[in-house]
Amino acid sequence: LACQKSHEWLERVGLAAYAAARPTELSGGQRQRIALARALAPNPRLLLMDEPLAALDVSTRAELRRQLKRHLLAFPGLRLVVTHDPLEAAALADRLVVIEGGSLVQTGTPAEITERPRSQYVADLVGINLLKGRAERGAIRMDGGSMVAAAGAEAGEVFATVHPRAVSVHRHRPEGSPRNVWPGRVSGIERIGDRARVRIEGQIRMVAEVTTSALNELALDEGGEVWLSFKATDVGVYPV
């Protein structure tokens, strides 16, 4: 019976052909799938997985993430996955618990955490700009005195989020309708595929996400002087 169950799980993780293989004959991704099958085979009531996709290359990690999600959805018990990868957490979890410095800082669904982070640490994890200040009739006054126009701002202490894709970067002060316009200096550029995240220091710190073609057209580099802008309607506002 045990042998039959072993073969069933090897088939589930796509490794039935490796039933007689030695561990040294398996790749890192194959060994991870074997470990997953070994953990699920006894039908545990609680499944604890600590960094299940660590030390895998990008393509293997993406494939195993999809397989792991499928198996976790079919698992009837309690599932707890520990990871430092926000993409992995959002892809695998139906509820997130964020720990910072040993303390719980926020819990919620992936959508709730992404849309309403409640600390700079959480905002950095999900890749969104987070501001904090006091709402005053369509604007938010920051601690340093700067004002951010925000369509949903009314009154009281609030958080405000701006998606990096909503932030435009210019070499010269822009003309037009954006109500939020500031000068700044590029402090870092991170290329991710056909896009780039540009960190801008200034009156208000922001991260902008632009295409690599826009990055080249603007001739952006670290230390360069730029202007950033975003619309008041692109600012999400919610109570502290």
Side-chain angles (χ1 to χ4, degrees), residues 5-6 9-10 12-13 31-50 52 68 71-72 75-80:
K5 178 174 286 190
S6 297
W9 273 103
L10 285 174
R12 289 191 191 187
V13 297
R31 286 196 293 269
Q32 290 284 60
R33 280 187 275 173
I34 290 293
L36 173 62
R38 186 186 301 120
L40 292 173
N43 295 319
R45 296 176 60 187
L46 169 64
L47 180 64
L48 171 60
M49 309 189 77
D50 187 3
L68 179 56
H71 290 304
L72 290 179
F75 179 69
L78 181 63
R79 301 148 293 173
L80 181 60

Side-chain angles (χ1 to χ4, degrees), residues 125-204:
L125 280 180
V126 300
I128 198 166
N129 293 298
L130 180 67
L131 306 172
K132 185 179 179 182
R134 174 169 288 278
E136 300 177 1
R137 296 182 182 179
I140 301 171
R141 183 179 297 278
M142 315 301 293
D143 290 341
S146 300
M147 298 291 288
V148 175
E154 295 181 0
E157 294 293 323
V158 297
F159 286 115
T161 57
V162 183
H163 195 285
R165 293 194 183 189
V167 180
S168 298
V169 182
H170 317 265
R171 272 301 191 182
H172 306 285
R173 184 182 180 93
E175 299 178 354
S177 60
R179 294 173 57 193
N180 296 301
V181 179
W182 289 281
R185 183 186 299 273
V186 176
S187 62
I189 299 175
E190 179 183 7
R191 293 176 182 263
I192 308 172
D194 64 347
R195 305 191 70 85
R197 292 174 67 87
V198 182
R199 295 189 175 276
I200 302 171
E201 302 287 338
Q203 190 174 350
I204 291 182

Side-chain angles (χ1 to χ4, degrees), residues 52-53 64-70 72-73 79 81 83 87-96 110:
L53 305 180
L64 192 55
R65 185 189 300 124
R66 290 190 293 270
Q67 294 183 6
L68 179 56
K69 183 176 180 64
R70 184 174 68 253
L72 290 179
L73 288 173
R79 301 148 293 173
V81 179
T83 178
L87 175 61
E88 184 177 311
L92 297 177
D94 51 16
R95 187 167 186 81
L96 298 177

Side-chain angles (χ1 to χ4, degrees), residues 50-64:
D50 187 3
E51 301 286 359
L53 305 180
L56 296 177
D57 60 69
V58 175
S59 59
T60 302
R61 181 177 300 177
E63 178 187 356
L64 192 55

Side-chain angles (χ1 to χ4, degrees), residues 80-143:
L80 181 60
V81 179
V82 180
T83 178
H84 287 85
D85 186 337
L87 175 61
E88 184 177 311
L92 297 177
D94 51 16
R95 187 167 186 81
L96 298 177
V97 177
V98 183
I99 305 295
E100 178 184 3
S103 300
L104 188 152
V105 293
Q106 190 171 353
T107 65
T109 66
E112 290 169 345
I113 299 267
T114 300
E115 294 171 5
R116 294 193 166 195
R118 305 199 66 83
S119 76
Q120 189 59 55
Y121 175 74
V122 178
D124 290 341
L125 280 180
V126 300
I128 198 166
N129 293 298
L130 180 67
L131 306 172
K132 185 179 179 182
R134 174 169 288 278
E136 300 177 1
R137 296 182 182 179
I140 301 171
R141 183 179 297 278
M142 315 301 293
D143 290 341

